[in-house]
Structures are given as structure tokens and as C-alpha cells.
Amino acid sequence: MPKIQYYIYVIELSKKVFTENRKFREANPQFNGVLECLYVGMTSKSPKERFEQHKTGYRNSKGHKLSANIVQKYGLYLRGSLYNHIAPLSNRAAALKMEETLALELRRKKYAVWFN
């Protein structure tokens, strides 16, 4: 059985998310409006396939919604230049840690970032 690989991805969000979403605004007090609003995620699918799932409100076979509301409503496109340098990871725990590390790094650079 092939080993699962996890990918980190970044989606640019409409800046409307900052004005319309209180939780997003509160999570990003460092944001000055110059750079973009972003969503950082982790997936065992390709980033492109995962982005499509977010935008279509995808539900799995058990009926659980797998898309993030914030991406479904505000997601614009993948920002490959912000994640292509990260190699696929071989386990979920490492991928979750990398997702958080990248999100916090982007926040330090003054992006507004949402991650789970």
C-alpha cells in the first residue's frame, strides 16, 4: 500500500474577510492591510484538489463537511510561491506542525493568516 504524503498549501483570501469576519480580524492584530489575507492548510490530496473541495463545500461519504467556510466564501486561488518550497511530509503530526509553523511565520511577516 502506498504511503500517504501530506502537503502544506496556502490560499489567498479576499481582503473582505478582514472586515467581515470578527474572528479572523481578532486572530490577526498585526495586520496593517498592505499584504494579503491567507489560509494555510494541510492535506493528503493535491493542493489543487483540496482547494476545489473548499470552494465546492465538499462533504465526505459520511456527510461531514470537509471544506472551511472561510475558504469557501473568501478563497481566491492557491499561492504556490508561499508553499512550493515545503517537501511533502510522511505523517499527519509533522504536517500539522508544519502548517502551524508556516502560518505563524507568515503572520510575523505581516500577512493576515487563518489556519486550523
Side-chain angles (χ1 to χ4, degrees):
M1 193 166 142
K3 198 166 166 89
I4 295 176
Q5 290 195 304
Y6 295 91
Y7 302 89
I8 306 301
Y9 62 95
V10 179
I11 295 170
E12 184 165 329
L13 304 173
S14 165
K15 283 193 177 177
K16 283 184 191 175
V17 69
F18 194 80
T19 54
E20 295 177 3
N21 188 303
R22 180 183 54 80
K23 286 183 179 179
F24 187 89
R25 199 168 41 254
E26 289 172 357
N28 291 284
Q30 84 295 345
F31 185 61
N32 61 14
V34 175
L35 295 175
E36 292 79 19
C37 296
L38 304 171
Y39 175 90
V40 177
M42 174 274 300
T43 183
S44 60
K45 312 250 184 272
S46 74
K48 184 178 179 184
E49 186 178 350
R50 187 68 183 106
F51 177 65
E52 289 303 317
Q53 287 180 336
H54 280 302
K55 291 304 288 178
T56 60
Y58 179 79
R59 291 182 183 271
N60 69 10
S61 59
K62 293 180 180 174
H64 297 291
K65 187 174 180 193
L66 298 182
S67 60
N69 292 333
I70 206 163
V71 177
Q72 190 173 0
K73 185 171 183 179
Y74 301 105
L76 300 175
Y77 47 84
L78 288 164
R79 287 287 304 268
S81 63
L82 297 175
Y83 66 85
N84 281 338
H85 64 283
I86 301 170
L89 297 134
S90 59
N91 70 68
R92 184 175 165 78
L96 287 168
K97 183 68 182 147
M98 179 57 74
E99 174 187 332
E100 180 181 15
T101 300
L102 178 60
L104 296 176
E105 179 184 315
L106 291 169
R107 270 193 189 151
R108 277 193 300 277
K109 292 179 178 177
K110 304 291 188 217
Y111 288 96
V113 183
W114 189 262
F115 67 101
N116 295 332

